[in-house]
Amino acid sequence: MVTIREFQELMRALYYERDSRRGIERTFMWLVQEVGELARAIMKNDRENIEEEVADVLAWLASLCNLLGIDMESAALKKYPGRCPKCGSIPCRCDLK
Ligand SMILES: [Zn+2]
């Protein structure tokens, strides 16, 4: 089992040097491009490709967070501390939009 923090640390070990040279703006653009590829995989209902693109989106988000000095696990649990941040329920009881 790997935690969100451990995954982010792996991405740092693998890519931080290259990510630093690329910079925040271009790394963000790569993340957006991968989200677009995930959208296309979903539209094609290509299960294997969807899994690959989910992995890429997570990896690029981790790279971006490394450059921004954001700990993904802390940020996620701060906003979602085990319940819906708006209504406080599990499952969420907020009105559908
Ligand atoms: Zn809610």
Side-chain angles (χ1 to χ4, degrees):
M1 165 124 177
V2 174
T3 64
I4 295 171
R5 181 168 294 128
E6 285 166 346
F7 182 79
Q8 185 175 356
E9 285 170 359
L10 174 64
M11 294 301 105
R12 176 185 292 278
L14 289 173
Y15 300 125
Y16 188 73
E17 293 236 359
R18 281 201 286 181
D19 290 339
S20 294
R21 273 182 267 136
R22 187 185 314 100
I24 290 169
E25 287 184 20
R26 285 173 58 210
T27 298
F28 176 76
M29 291 311 294
W30 270 100
L31 170 61
V32 171
Q33 181 175 312
E34 293 296 341
V35 171
E37 289 178 11
L38 175 58
R40 284 190 286 281
I42 290 170
M43 296 301 282
K44 285 189 286 185
N45 199 23
D46 181 343
R47 188 84 196 168
E48 195 173 328
N49 196 215
I50 290 169
E51 285 188 5
E52 285 178 16
E53 297 305 339
V54 164
D56 286 341
V57 167
L58 195 60
W60 280 102
L61 180 61
S63 279
L64 181 65
C65 287
N66 283 333
L67 291 177
L68 291 168
I70 299 287
D71 182 301
M72 292 169 71
E73 187 169 293
S74 297
L77 293 177
K78 183 176 169 190
K79 175 145 189 195
Y80 299 97
R83 55 190 155 72
C84 174
K86 287 182 184 159
C87 69
S89 294
I90 306 172
C92 167
R93 295 183 203 285
C94 296
D95 289 336
L96 280 176
K97 287 183 183 132

